[in-house]
Amino acid sequence: MTEKVNLAQKLGLFDEHWQPKIVARINDNDVRIVKVKGEFVWHKHDDTDDFFLVLQGHLTIQLRDRNVELDAGELFVVPHGVEHCPRADEEASLLLIEPAGTINTGDAGGPLTTEPQSI
Amino acid sequence: MTEKVNLAQKLGLFDEHWQPKIVARINDNDVRIVKVKGEFVWHKHDDTDDFFLVLQGHLTIQLRDRNVELDAGELFVVPHGVEHCPRADEEASLLLIEPAGTINTGDAGGPLTTEPQSI
């Protein structure tokens, strides 16, 4: 049986940016949290939508034709196959939901690619 | 293409309790919000885990062997097949993630069963 998850407590356990941590599992999906600052990398996920909920701070999700601006308490789903590049000028904290095994950098790869750890 | 969702704005659109509204879709899953007050009904979902994130207020998830107490910013996943009965003495607002088509009352049925609408 799982235990409850306090998001603020979990966010207090790490400082690094762009390295998602798994805090729960729903069926075949991970619930991940991540701290972000600066610009990520343009990428897409051909096989899965990409869910972002801002917990703290402000996130810009750059799409090829517009920017989506998210404050705390706002969410956005990037449809599968759509190129996007998250950016945060100041540190922000996010909750992500993605099928287990989803690679954070999607089709782009590169140095920001990381295997999420459970915390 | 979907638009961003402001959870507080969406919660302002309705007052009724125990009637989830769909605010987004992630692959085959609904993102639902719901206002709750009082006691729901004991039920289980044999085929899916049940994800609760408290947005406002306090929620008690009664399990057969213990209670899980959740404040805003806390989440819990009830594993598939596990009987549970949510309860909120004061109104609370929740975010739920469930496979599209999931029946809110699971195996229990009864008068609280409702088809979630998109808002």
Side-chain angles (χ1 to χ4, degrees):
Chain A
M1 176 67 79
T2 54
E3 296 303 316
K4 77 171 179 180
V5 173
N6 181 299
L7 292 171
Q9 183 265 328
K10 292 291 190 189
L11 286 167
L13 297 179
F14 65 97
D15 293 317
E16 59 270 32
H17 296 145
W18 303 114
Q19 298 195 22
K21 313 295 183 192
I22 299 169
V23 297
R25 188 82 180 261
I26 321 166
N27 300 319
D28 296 329
N29 298 285
D30 289 339
V31 180
R32 303 178 181 179
I33 57 174
V34 64
K35 291 182 175 178
V36 301
K37 186 175 182 182
E39 188 170 70
F40 196 55
V41 61
W42 282 96
H43 68 288
K44 61 186 168 72
H45 304 274
D46 284 330
D47 297 329
T48 182
D49 304 335
D50 217 1
F51 172 93
F52 298 83
L53 170 63
V54 176
L55 300 173
Q56 299 171 343
H58 182 88
L59 180 72
T60 300
I61 300 178
Q62 303 173 91
L63 305 173
R64 288 299 186 188
D65 62 346
R66 65 184 169 123
N67 288 347
V68 177
E69 304 289 346
L70 299 178
D71 287 311
E74 296 187 321
L75 65 87
F76 186 71
V77 179
V78 179
H80 60 279
V82 172
E83 286 186 296
H84 58 286
C85 180
R87 189 186 75 221
D89 296 331
E90 303 295 330
E91 184 178 86
S93 300
L94 317 177
L95 185 146
L96 312 173
I97 296 169
E98 309 189 78
T102 298
I103 303 297
N104 62 330
T105 51
D107 64 324
L112 290 170
T113 303
T114 183
E115 184 84 15
Q117 304 297 312
S118 294
I119 60 170
Chain B
M1 175 68 80
T2 54
E3 296 302 316
K4 77 172 180 179
V5 173
N6 180 300
L7 292 170
Q9 183 265 329
K10 292 291 190 189
L11 287 167
L13 297 179
F14 65 99
D15 293 317
E16 60 269 32
H17 296 144
W18 303 114
Q19 298 195 22
K21 314 296 183 191
I22 300 169
V23 296
R25 188 81 180 263
I26 319 166
N27 300 317
D28 296 329
N29 298 285
D30 289 339
V31 181
R32 303 177 181 180
I33 57 174
V34 64
K35 291 182 176 178
V36 301
K37 186 175 181 183
E39 189 169 71
F40 196 55
V41 60
W42 281 96
H43 69 287
K44 60 186 169 72
H45 305 274
D46 285 330
D47 297 327
T48 182
D49 302 336
D50 217 0
F51 172 93
F52 298 83
L53 169 63
V54 176
L55 300 173
Q56 299 171 342
H58 182 87
L59 180 72
T60 300
I61 300 178
Q62 301 173 91
L63 305 173
R64 288 298 187 190
D65 62 346
R66 64 184 169 123
N67 288 347
V68 177
E69 304 289 347
L70 299 179
D71 287 311
E74 295 187 321
L75 66 87
F76 186 70
V77 179
V78 179
H80 60 277
V82 172
E83 285 187 296
H84 58 287
C85 180
R87 188 186 77 220
D89 296 330
E90 303 294 331
E91 183 179 86
S93 301
L94 316 177
L95 186 146
L96 312 173
I97 295 168
E98 308 190 77
T102 299
I103 303 297
N104 62 329
T105 53
D107 64 325
L112 290 170
T113 303
T114 183
E115 183 85 13
Q117 304 297 313
S118 293
I119 60 170

